[in-house]
Coordinates of all heavy atoms in Angstrom, one line a residue:
M268 N 31.2 -181.1 49.4 CA 30.5 -180.4 50.5 C 31.4 -179.3 51.0 O 30.9 -178.3 51.4 CB 30.1 -181.4 51.5 CG 29.2 -180.9 52.6 SD 27.6 -180.4 51.8 CE 26.7 -180.1 53.2
N269 N 32.7 -179.6 51.1 CA 33.6 -178.5 51.6 C 33.6 -177.3 50.8 O 33.7 -176.2 51.3 CB 35.1 -179.0 51.7 CG 35.2 -180.0 52.9 OD1 34.4 -180.0 53.8 ND2 36.2 -180.9 52.8
F270 N 33.5 -177.4 49.5 CA 33.4 -176.3 48.6 C 32.1 -175.5 48.9 O 32.2 -174.2 48.9 CB 33.3 -176.8 47.1 CG 33.1 -175.6 46.2 CD1 34.1 -174.7 45.8 CD2 31.9 -175.4 45.6 CE1 33.9 -173.7 45.0 CE2 31.6 -174.4 44.7 CZ 32.7 -173.5 44.4
V271 N 31.0 -176.1 49.2 CA 29.8 -175.4 49.5 C 30.0 -174.6 50.7 O 29.6 -173.4 50.8 CB 28.6 -176.4 49.6 CG1 27.4 -175.7 50.1 CG2 28.4 -177.1 48.3
K272 N 30.6 -175.2 51.8 CA 30.8 -174.5 53.0 C 31.7 -173.3 52.8 O 31.5 -172.2 53.3 CB 31.4 -175.4 54.1 CG 30.4 -176.4 54.6 CD 31.0 -177.3 55.7 CE 30.0 -178.3 56.1 NZ 30.6 -179.2 57.1
A273 N 32.8 -173.5 52.0 CA 33.7 -172.4 51.8 C 33.1 -171.3 51.0 O 33.3 -170.1 51.3 CB 35.0 -172.9 51.0
F274 N 32.3 -171.6 50.0 CA 31.6 -170.6 49.2 C 30.6 -169.9 50.1 O 30.5 -168.6 50.0 CB 30.8 -171.3 48.0 CG 30.1 -170.3 47.2 CD1 30.8 -169.6 46.3 CD2 28.7 -170.2 47.3 CE1 30.1 -168.6 45.5 CE2 28.1 -169.3 46.5 CZ 28.8 -168.5 45.6
A275 N 29.9 -170.5 51.0 CA 28.9 -169.9 51.8 C 29.7 -168.9 52.8 O 29.2 -167.8 53.0 CB 28.2 -170.9 52.7
A276 N 30.8 -169.3 53.3 CA 31.6 -168.4 54.2 C 32.1 -167.2 53.4 O 32.0 -166.1 53.9 CB 32.7 -169.2 54.8
A277 N 32.6 -167.4 52.2 CA 33.0 -166.3 51.4 C 31.9 -165.3 51.1 O 32.1 -164.1 51.1 CB 33.7 -166.8 50.1
T278 N 30.7 -165.9 50.8 CA 29.6 -165.0 50.5 C 29.2 -164.2 51.7 O 28.9 -163.0 51.6 CB 28.4 -165.9 50.1 OG1 28.8 -166.7 49.0 CG2 27.2 -165.1 49.8
V279 N 29.2 -164.7 52.9 CA 28.9 -164.0 54.1 C 29.9 -162.9 54.3 O 29.6 -161.7 54.7 CB 28.9 -164.9 55.4 CG1 28.9 -164.1 56.7 CG2 27.7 -165.9 55.3
V280 N 31.2 -163.1 54.1 CA 32.3 -162.1 54.3 C 32.0 -161.0 53.3 O 32.1 -159.8 53.6 CB 33.7 -162.7 54.1 CG1 34.7 -161.7 54.0 CG2 34.0 -163.6 55.3
M281 N 31.8 -161.3 52.0 CA 31.6 -160.3 51.0 C 30.3 -159.5 51.3 O 30.3 -158.3 51.1 CB 31.5 -160.9 49.6 CG 32.8 -161.4 49.1 SD 32.8 -161.9 47.4 CE 31.9 -163.4 47.5
A282 N 29.3 -160.2 51.8 CA 28.0 -159.4 52.1 C 28.3 -158.5 53.2 O 27.7 -157.4 53.3 CB 26.9 -160.4 52.4
A283 N 29.1 -158.9 54.2 CA 29.3 -158.0 55.3 C 30.3 -156.9 54.9 O 30.3 -155.8 55.6 CB 30.0 -158.8 56.5
G284 N 31.0 -157.1 53.9 CA 31.9 -156.0 53.4 C 33.2 -155.9 54.1 O 33.9 -154.9 54.1
C285 N 33.6 -156.9 54.9 CA 34.9 -156.8 55.6 C 35.5 -158.2 55.7 O 34.8 -159.2 55.7 CB 34.7 -156.2 57.0 SG 33.6 -157.2 58.1
A286 N 36.8 -158.2 56.0 CA 37.5 -159.5 56.2 C 38.8 -159.2 57.0 O 39.3 -158.1 56.9 CB 37.9 -160.1 54.9
S287 N 39.2 -160.1 57.8 CA 40.4 -159.9 58.6 C 41.2 -161.2 58.7 O 40.6 -162.3 58.6 CB 40.1 -159.4 60.0 OG 39.3 -160.3 60.7
V288 N 42.5 -161.1 58.8 CA 43.3 -162.3 58.9 C 44.3 -162.0 60.1 O 44.9 -160.9 60.1 CB 44.1 -162.5 57.6 CG1 45.1 -163.7 57.8 CG2 43.2 -162.8 56.5
G289 N 44.5 -162.9 61.0 CA 45.4 -162.8 62.1 C 44.7 -162.1 63.3 O 43.8 -161.4 63.1
Q290 N 45.2 -162.5 64.4 CA 44.7 -161.9 65.7 C 45.2 -160.5 65.8 O 46.4 -160.2 65.6 CB 45.2 -162.8 66.8 CG 44.7 -162.3 68.2 CD 45.1 -163.3 69.3 OE1 45.4 -164.4 69.0 NE2 45.2 -162.8 70.5
D291 N 44.3 -159.6 66.3 CA 44.7 -158.2 66.5 C 45.7 -158.1 67.7 O 45.6 -158.9 68.6 CB 43.5 -157.3 66.7 CG 43.8 -155.9 66.5 OD1 44.8 -155.5 65.9 OD2 42.9 -155.0 66.9
F292 N 46.6 -157.1 67.6 CA 47.5 -156.8 68.7 C 47.8 -155.4 68.7 O 47.6 -154.7 67.7 CB 48.8 -157.7 68.5 CG 49.6 -157.5 67.3 CD1 50.6 -156.5 67.2 CD2 49.3 -158.2 66.1 CE1 51.3 -156.3 66.1 CE2 50.1 -158.0 65.0 CZ 51.0 -157.0 64.9
S293 N 48.4 -154.9 69.7 CA 48.7 -153.5 69.9 C 50.2 -153.2 69.7 O 51.0 -153.8 70.3 CB 48.3 -153.0 71.3 OG 48.7 -151.7 71.6
M294 N 50.5 -152.2 68.9 CA 51.9 -151.8 68.7 C 52.4 -151.2 70.0 O 53.6 -151.2 70.3 CB 52.0 -150.8 67.6 CG 52.0 -151.5 66.2 SD 53.3 -152.6 66.0 CE 53.2 -153.0 64.2
A295 N 51.5 -150.6 70.9 CA 51.9 -150.1 72.1 C 52.5 -151.2 73.0 O 53.5 -151.0 73.8 CB 50.8 -149.4 72.9
D296 N 51.9 -152.4 72.9 CA 52.5 -153.6 73.6 C 53.9 -153.9 73.1 O 54.7 -154.3 73.9 CB 51.5 -154.8 73.5 CG 50.3 -154.6 74.4 OD1 50.3 -153.8 75.4 OD2 49.2 -155.2 74.0
V297 N 54.0 -153.8 71.8 CA 55.4 -154.1 71.2 C 56.4 -153.0 71.7 O 57.5 -153.4 72.2 CB 55.3 -154.0 69.7 CG1 56.7 -154.2 69.1 CG2 54.4 -155.1 69.1
D298 N 56.0 -151.8 71.8 CA 56.8 -150.7 72.2 C 57.3 -150.9 73.7 O 58.3 -150.5 74.1 CB 56.2 -149.3 72.1 CG 55.9 -149.0 70.6 OD1 56.6 -149.5 69.7 OD2 55.1 -148.1 70.4
A299 N 56.4 -151.5 74.5 CA 56.7 -151.7 75.9 C 57.7 -152.9 76.1 O 58.2 -153.0 77.3 CB 55.4 -152.0 76.7
M300 N 57.9 -153.7 75.1 CA 58.8 -154.9 75.3 C 60.3 -154.4 75.4 O 60.7 -153.5 74.6 CB 58.6 -155.9 74.2 CG 57.2 -156.5 74.2 SD 57.0 -157.7 72.9 CE 55.3 -158.0 73.2
Q301 N 61.0 -155.0 76.3 CA 62.4 -154.6 76.5 C 63.4 -155.8 76.2 O 63.3 -156.8 76.8 CB 62.6 -154.2 78.0 CG 61.7 -153.0 78.3 CD 61.8 -152.7 79.8 OE1 62.6 -153.3 80.5 NE2 61.0 -151.8 80.3
P302 N 64.3 -155.5 75.3 CA 65.4 -156.5 75.1 C 66.1 -156.9 76.4 O 66.3 -156.0 77.2 CB 66.3 -155.8 74.1 CG 65.4 -154.9 73.4 CD 64.5 -154.4 74.4
G303 N 66.3 -158.1 76.6 CA 67.0 -158.6 77.8 C 66.1 -158.8 79.0 O 66.5 -159.3 80.0
V304 N 64.8 -158.4 78.8 CA 63.8 -158.5 79.9 C 62.6 -159.3 79.5 O 62.2 -160.3 80.2 CB 63.4 -157.1 80.4 CG1 62.3 -157.2 81.5 CG2 64.6 -156.3 80.9
T305 N 62.0 -158.9 78.4 CA 60.7 -159.6 77.9 C 61.0 -161.0 77.4 O 61.9 -161.2 76.7 CB 60.1 -158.7 76.8 OG1 59.9 -157.4 77.2 CG2 58.8 -159.3 76.3
T306 N 60.1 -161.9 77.9 CA 60.3 -163.3 77.4 C 59.3 -163.6 76.3 O 58.3 -162.9 76.1 CB 60.0 -164.3 78.6 OG1 58.6 -164.2 79.0 CG2 60.9 -164.0 79.8
L307 N 59.5 -164.7 75.6 CA 58.6 -165.2 74.6 C 57.2 -165.4 75.1 O 56.3 -165.0 74.5 CB 59.2 -166.4 73.9 CG 58.4 -167.0 72.8 CD1 58.0 -166.0 71.7 CD2 59.1 -168.2 72.2
D308 N 57.2 -166.0 76.3 CA 55.8 -166.3 76.9 C 55.1 -165.0 77.2 O 53.9 -164.9 77.0 CB 56.0 -167.1 78.2 CG 56.3 -168.5 77.9 OD1 56.1 -169.0 76.8 OD2 56.8 -169.2 78.8
Q309 N 55.8 -163.9 77.6 CA 55.2 -162.6 77.9 C 54.7 -162.0 76.6 O 53.6 -161.4 76.5 CB 56.2 -161.7 78.6 CG 56.4 -162.1 80.0 CD 57.6 -161.3 80.6 OE1 58.5 -160.9 80.0 NE2 57.5 -161.1 82.0
A310 N 55.5 -162.1 75.5 CA 55.2 -161.6 74.2 C 53.9 -162.3 73.7 O 53.0 -161.6 73.2 CB 56.3 -161.7 73.2
K311 N 53.8 -163.6 73.8 CA 52.7 -164.3 73.4 C 51.4 -163.9 74.2 O 50.3 -163.8 73.6 CB 52.9 -165.8 73.5 CG 53.8 -166.4 72.5 CD 54.0 -167.9 72.7 CE 54.9 -168.5 71.7 NZ 55.1 -170.0 71.9
A312 N 51.6 -163.7 75.5 CA 50.5 -163.3 76.3 C 49.9 -161.9 75.9 O 48.7 -161.7 75.9 CB 50.9 -163.2 77.8
K313 N 50.8 -161.0 75.4 CA 50.4 -159.7 75.0 C 49.9 -159.7 73.5 O 48.9 -159.0 73.2 CB 51.5 -158.7 75.1 CG 51.9 -158.3 76.5 CD 50.8 -157.4 77.1 CE 51.2 -156.9 78.5 NZ 50.1 -156.1 79.0
L314 N 50.6 -160.4 72.7 CA 50.3 -160.3 71.2 C 49.4 -161.4 70.7 O 48.9 -161.3 69.6 CB 51.6 -160.2 70.4 CG 52.6 -159.1 70.9 CD1 53.9 -159.2 70.1 CD2 51.9 -157.8 70.8
G315 N 49.3 -162.5 71.4 CA 48.5 -163.6 71.0 C 49.3 -164.7 70.3 O 50.6 -164.6 70.3
K316 N 48.7 -165.6 69.6 CA 49.4 -166.6 68.9 C 50.1 -166.1 67.7 O 49.5 -165.4 66.9 CB 48.3 -167.7 68.4 CG 49.0 -168.9 67.7 CD 47.9 -169.9 67.3 CE 48.6 -171.0 66.5 NZ 47.6 -172.0 66.0
P317 N 51.4 -166.4 67.6 CA 52.2 -165.9 66.4 C 51.7 -166.5 65.1 O 51.3 -167.6 65.1 CB 53.6 -166.3 66.8 CG 53.6 -167.1 68.0 CD 52.2 -167.2 68.5
A318 N 52.0 -165.7 64.0 CA 51.7 -166.2 62.7 C 52.7 -167.2 62.2 O 52.5 -168.1 61.5 CB 51.6 -165.1 61.7
R319 N 54.0 -167.0 62.7 CA 55.1 -167.9 62.3 C 56.2 -167.9 63.4 O 56.5 -166.9 64.0 CB 55.6 -167.3 61.0 CG 56.8 -168.1 60.5 CD 57.1 -167.7 59.1 NE 56.2 -168.4 58.2 CZ 56.2 -168.4 56.9 NH1 57.0 -167.7 56.3 NH2 55.3 -169.0 56.2
V320 N 56.8 -169.0 63.5 CA 57.9 -169.2 64.4 C 59.0 -169.8 63.6 O 58.8 -170.9 62.9 CB 57.6 -170.1 65.6 CG1 58.8 -170.3 66.5 CG2 56.4 -169.5 66.5
L321 N 60.2 -169.2 63.6 CA 61.3 -169.6 62.8 C 62.5 -170.0 63.6 O 62.9 -169.2 64.5 CB 61.7 -168.5 61.8 CG 60.6 -167.9 61.0 CD1 60.9 -166.6 60.4 CD2 60.2 -168.9 59.9
A322 N 63.2 -171.1 63.3 CA 64.5 -171.4 63.9 C 65.6 -170.7 63.2 O 65.7 -170.8 62.0 CB 64.7 -172.9 63.9
L323 N 66.3 -169.9 63.9 CA 67.4 -169.1 63.3 C 68.8 -169.6 63.7 O 68.8 -170.4 64.7 CB 67.3 -167.6 63.8 CG 65.9 -166.9 63.5 CD1 65.9 -165.5 64.1 CD2 65.7 -166.9 62.0
T324 N 69.8 -169.2 63.1 CA 71.1 -169.6 63.5 C 71.5 -169.1 64.9 O 70.9 -168.1 65.3 CB 72.2 -169.1 62.5 OG1 72.2 -167.7 62.4 CG2 71.9 -169.6 61.1
G325 N 72.5 -169.7 65.5 CA 72.9 -169.3 66.8 C 71.9 -169.6 67.9 O 71.8 -168.8 68.9
D326 N 71.1 -170.6 67.8 CA 70.1 -171.0 68.8 C 69.1 -169.8 69.1 O 68.7 -169.6 70.2 CB 70.7 -171.4 70.1 CG 71.4 -172.8 70.0 OD1 70.9 -173.6 69.2 OD2 72.4 -173.0 70.6
R327 N 68.8 -169.0 68.1 CA 67.8 -167.9 68.2 C 66.5 -168.3 67.5 O 66.5 -169.2 66.7 CB 68.4 -166.6 67.6 CG 69.6 -166.1 68.2 CD 70.2 -165.0 67.5 NE 70.5 -165.3 66.1 CZ 70.5 -164.5 65.1 NH1 70.2 -163.2 65.2 NH2 70.7 -164.9 63.8
T328 N 65.5 -167.7 68.0 CA 64.1 -168.0 67.4 C 63.5 -166.7 66.9 O 63.5 -165.7 67.7 CB 63.2 -168.6 68.5 OG1 63.8 -169.8 69.0 CG2 61.8 -168.9 67.9
G329 N 63.0 -166.7 65.7 CA 62.3 -165.5 65.1 C 60.8 -165.8 65.2 O 60.4 -166.9 64.9
V330 N 60.1 -164.8 65.7 CA 58.7 -164.9 65.9 C 58.0 -163.8 65.2 O 58.4 -162.6 65.4 CB 58.3 -165.0 67.4 CG1 56.8 -165.4 67.5 CG2 59.1 -166.1 68.1
V331 N 57.0 -164.0 64.4 CA 56.3 -163.0 63.6 C 54.8 -163.0 64.0 O 54.1 -164.1 64.0 CB 56.5 -163.3 62.1 CG1 55.7 -162.2 61.3 CG2 57.9 -163.3 61.8
W332 N 54.3 -161.8 64.2 CA 52.8 -161.6 64.3 C 52.4 -160.7 63.2 O 53.0 -159.7 62.9 CB 52.5 -160.9 65.7 CG 52.6 -161.8 66.9 CD1 51.6 -162.4 67.5 CD2 53.8 -162.0 67.6 NE1 52.1 -163.1 68.6 CE2 53.5 -162.9 68.7 CE3 55.2 -161.7 67.5 CZ2 54.4 -163.4 69.6 CZ3 56.1 -162.1 68.4 CH2 55.7 -163.0 69.5
T333 N 51.2 -161.0 62.6 CA 50.7 -160.2 61.5 C 49.1 -160.1 61.7 O 48.5 -160.9 62.3 CB 50.9 -160.8 60.1 OG1 50.3 -162.1 60.1 CG2 52.4 -161.0 59.8
R334 N 48.6 -159.0 61.2 CA 47.2 -158.7 61.2 C 46.9 -157.9 60.0 O 47.5 -156.9 59.7 CB 46.8 -157.9 62.5 CG 45.4 -157.3 62.5 CD 44.4 -158.4 62.7 NE 43.1 -157.7 62.9 CZ 42.0 -158.4 63.1 NH1 41.9 -159.7 63.2 NH2 40.8 -157.7 63.3
S335 N 45.9 -158.3 59.2 CA 45.4 -157.6 58.1 C 43.9 -157.5 58.2 O 43.2 -158.5 58.5 CB 45.8 -158.3 56.8 OG 47.2 -158.3 56.6
Q336 N 43.4 -156.3 57.8 CA 41.9 -156.2 57.8 C 41.5 -155.3 56.7 O 42.2 -154.3 56.3 CB 41.5 -155.5 59.1 CG 40.1 -155.4 59.4 CD 39.7 -154.9 60.8 OE1 40.6 -154.8 61.6 NE2 38.5 -154.6 61.0
A337 N 40.4 -155.6 56.1 CA 39.9 -154.9 54.9 C 38.4 -154.7 55.1 O 37.6 -155.6 55.5 CB 40.2 -155.6 53.6
T338 N 37.9 -153.5 54.8 CA 36.5 -153.2 54.7 C 36.3 -152.5 53.4 O 37.2 -152.1 52.7 CB 36.0 -152.3 55.9 OG1 36.8 -151.1 55.8 CG2 36.2 -152.9 57.2
I339 N 35.1 -152.2 53.0 CA 34.8 -151.5 51.8 C 35.4 -150.1 51.9 O 35.0 -149.3 52.8 CB 33.3 -151.4 51.5 CG1 32.8 -152.8 51.3 CG2 33.0 -150.5 50.3 CD1 31.3 -152.9 51.1
G340 N 36.4 -149.8 51.1 CA 37.0 -148.5 51.1 C 38.2 -148.3 51.9 O 38.8 -147.2 51.9
S341 N 38.6 -149.3 52.7 CA 39.8 -149.1 53.6 C 40.4 -150.5 53.9 O 39.8 -151.5 53.8 CB 39.5 -148.4 54.9 OG 38.7 -149.2 55.7
A342 N 41.7 -150.4 54.2 CA 42.4 -151.6 54.6 C 43.6 -151.2 55.5 O 44.0 -150.1 55.5 CB 43.0 -152.3 53.3
S343 N 43.9 -152.2 56.4 CA 45.1 -151.9 57.3 C 45.8 -153.2 57.4 O 45.3 -154.3 57.3 CB 44.6 -151.4 58.6 OG 43.8 -152.4 59.3
S344 N 47.1 -153.1 57.7 CA 48.0 -154.2 57.9 C 49.1 -153.8 58.9 O 49.6 -152.7 58.9 CB 48.6 -154.6 56.6 OG 49.5 -155.7 56.8
K345 N 49.4 -154.8 59.8 CA 50.5 -154.5 60.7 C 51.2 -155.8 60.9 O 50.6 -156.9 60.9 CB 50.1 -153.9 62.0 CG 49.1 -154.6 62.8 CD 48.6 -153.8 64.0 CE 47.4 -154.4 64.7 NZ 47.0 -153.5 65.8
S346 N 52.5 -155.7 61.2 CA 53.3 -156.9 61.5 C 54.5 -156.5 62.4 O 55.0 -155.4 62.4 CB 53.8 -157.6 60.2 OG 54.8 -156.8 59.6
V347 N 55.0 -157.5 63.1 CA 56.1 -157.3 64.0 C 56.9 -158.6 64.0 O 56.3 -159.7 64.0 CB 55.8 -156.8 65.4 CG1 55.0 -157.9 66.1 CG2 57.0 -156.5 66.2
G348 N 58.2 -158.5 63.9 CA 59.1 -159.7 64.0 C 60.1 -159.5 65.2 O 60.7 -158.5 65.3
L349 N 60.1 -160.4 66.1 CA 60.9 -160.4 67.3 C 61.9 -161.5 67.3 O 61.6 -162.6 66.8 CB 60.1 -160.4 68.5 CG 58.9 -159.4 68.7 CD1 58.2 -159.7 70.0 CD2 59.5 -158.0 68.6
I350 N 63.1 -161.3 67.8 CA 64.1 -162.3 67.9 C 64.4 -162.6 69.3 O 64.7 -161.7 70.1 CB 65.4 -162.0 67.1 CG1 65.1 -161.8 65.6 CG2 66.5 -163.0 67.3 CD1 66.3 -161.3 64.8
F351 N 64.4 -163.9 69.7 CA 64.6 -164.3 71.1 C 65.8 -165.2 71.1 O 66.1 -166.0 70.2 CB 63.4 -165.1 71.6 CG 62.1 -164.3 71.7 CD1 61.3 -164.1 70.6 CD2 61.8 -163.6 72.9 CE1 60.2 -163.3 70.7 CE2 60.7 -162.8 73.0 CZ 59.9 -162.6 71.9
D352 N 66.5 -165.2 72.3 CA 67.6 -166.1 72.4 C 67.2 -167.5 72.8 O 66.0 -167.8 72.9 CB 68.6 -165.6 73.5 CG 68.1 -165.5 74.9 OD1 67.1 -166.2 75.2 OD2 68.7 -164.8 75.7
K353 N 68.1 -168.4 73.0 CA 67.8 -169.8 73.3 C 67.0 -170.0 74.6 O 66.3 -171.0 74.8 CB 69.0 -170.7 73.3 CG 70.0 -170.4 74.4 CD 71.2 -171.3 74.2 CE 72.3 -171.0 75.2 NZ 73.5 -171.8 75.1
S354 N 67.1 -169.0 75.5 CA 66.4 -169.1 76.8 C 65.0 -168.4 76.7 O 64.2 -168.4 77.6 CB 67.1 -168.3 77.9 OG 68.4 -168.9 78.1
G355 N 64.7 -167.9 75.5 CA 63.4 -167.3 75.3 C 63.3 -165.9 75.7 O 62.2 -165.3 76.0
V356 N 64.4 -165.2 75.8 CA 64.5 -163.8 76.2 C 64.6 -162.9 74.9 O 65.5 -163.2 74.1 CB 65.6 -163.5 77.2 CG1 65.7 -162.0 77.6 CG2 65.3 -164.3 78.5
L357 N 63.9 -161.8 74.8 CA 63.9 -160.9 73.7 C 65.3 -160.4 73.5 O 65.9 -159.8 74.4 CB 62.9 -159.8 73.9 CG 62.9 -158.8 72.7 CD1 62.4 -159.4 71.4 CD2 62.0 -157.6 73.1
L358 N 65.8 -160.5 72.2 CA 67.1 -159.9 71.8 C 66.8 -158.6 71.2 O 67.5 -157.6 71.5 CB 67.9 -160.8 70.9 CG 68.4 -162.1 71.5 CD1 69.0 -163.0 70.4 CD2 69.5 -161.8 72.6
K359 N 65.9 -158.6 70.2 CA 65.6 -157.3 69.6 C 64.3 -157.4 68.8 O 63.8 -158.5 68.4 CB 66.7 -156.9 68.6 CG 66.9 -157.8 67.4 CD 68.0 -157.2 66.5 CE 68.2 -158.1 65.3 NZ 69.2 -157.5 64.4
V360 N 63.7 -156.2 68.5 CA 62.6 -156.1 67.5 C 63.3 -156.0 66.1 O 64.0 -155.0 65.8 CB 61.8 -154.8 67.8 CG1 60.7 -154.7 66.7 CG2 61.2 -154.9 69.2
A361 N 63.1 -157.1 65.4 CA 63.8 -157.1 64.1 C 63.1 -156.3 63.0 O 63.7 -155.8 62.1 CB 63.9 -158.6 63.6
S362 N 61.8 -156.3 63.1 CA 61.0 -155.5 62.1 C 59.6 -155.2 62.7 O 59.1 -155.9 63.5 CB 60.8 -156.4 60.8 OG 60.0 -157.5 61.1
R363 N 59.1 -154.1 62.1 CA 57.7 -153.7 62.5 C 57.2 -152.8 61.4 O 57.9 -152.0 60.8 CB 57.7 -153.0 63.9 CG 58.4 -151.7 63.9 CD 58.3 -151.0 65.3 NE 57.0 -150.3 65.3 CZ 56.3 -150.1 66.4 NH1 56.8 -150.4 67.5 NH2 55.1 -149.5 66.3
S364 N 55.9 -153.0 61.1 CA 55.3 -152.1 60.1 C 53.8 -152.0 60.4 O 53.2 -152.9 61.0 CB 55.5 -152.6 58.7 OG 54.8 -153.8 58.5
E365 N 53.3 -150.8 60.0 CA 51.9 -150.6 60.2 C 51.4 -149.7 59.1 O 52.0 -148.6 58.9 CB 51.6 -149.9 61.6 CG 50.2 -149.9 62.0 CD 50.0 -149.5 63.5 OE1 51.0 -149.0 64.1 OE2 48.9 -149.8 64.0
I366 N 50.5 -150.1 58.3 CA 50.0 -149.4 57.1 C 48.4 -149.4 57.2 O 47.8 -150.4 57.5 CB 50.4 -150.1 55.8 CG1 51.9 -150.2 55.8 CG2 49.9 -149.4 54.6 CD1 52.5 -151.1 54.7
A367 N 47.9 -148.2 56.9 CA 46.4 -148.0 56.8 C 46.1 -147.2 55.6 O 46.8 -146.2 55.3 CB 45.9 -147.4 58.1
T368 N 45.0 -147.6 54.9 CA 44.6 -146.8 53.8 C 43.1 -146.4 54.0 O 42.4 -147.1 54.7 CB 44.7 -147.6 52.5 OG1 43.8 -148.7 52.5 CG2 46.1 -148.0 52.2
N369 N 42.6 -145.4 53.4 CA 41.2 -145.0 53.5 C 40.6 -145.1 52.1 O 41.0 -144.7 51.2 CB 41.1 -143.5 54.0 CG 41.9 -143.2 55.1 OD1 42.7 -144.0 55.6 ND2 41.8 -142.0 55.6

């Protein structure tokens, strides 16, 4: 029965001609974040639920947000990786990317 539900969902997505993965977020919100000031809770409030949380060396935490979207004839993808200290304060933006095709 799970296969039937999955097949039905896939059919609806294909019929609509679009698909997306991950919660949308704004790179402007990322740009507004300040190392030494922005907290993990504030980042989550702006960017939503992270795609991945990683324990790093030195009591640091890496947090990654991703969003991918595709429609017929175009696709876009963006991601950001932030590193927080043991108190949950932003140390740095470790990575960011944004790609769109037509």
Side-chain angles (χ1 to χ4, degrees):
M268 191 64 167
N269 287 336
F270 174 77
V271 173
K272 288 181 183 178
F274 181 76
T278 302
V279 168
V280 168
M281 287 188 289
C285 64
S287 61
V288 176
Q290 182 175 336
D291 198 11
F292 61 90
S293 169
M294 284 296 193
D296 288 334
V297 174
D298 294 339
M300 294 181 185
Q301 300 176 5
V304 176
T305 303
T306 66
L307 177 54
D308 288 339
Q309 291 169 327
K311 287 179 180 178
K313 288 287 186 181
L314 306 179
K316 183 180 177 183
R319 179 169 280 184
V320 177
L321 307 162
L323 304 175
T324 60
D326 290 327
R327 297 173 303 151
T328 302
V330 187
V331 178
W332 285 265
T333 60
R334 168 73 171 183
S335 297
Q336 187 171 352
T338 60
I339 295 174
S341 69
S343 64
S344 177
K345 58 185 170 181
S346 67
V347 63
L349 307 177
I350 298 179
F351 294 87
D352 67 14
K353 65 181 176 182
S354 300
V356 177
L357 180 64
L358 292 171
K359 69 178 181 176
V360 177
S362 65
R363 64 175 281 152
S364 68
E365 193 167 16
I366 301 168
T368 62
N369 313 2

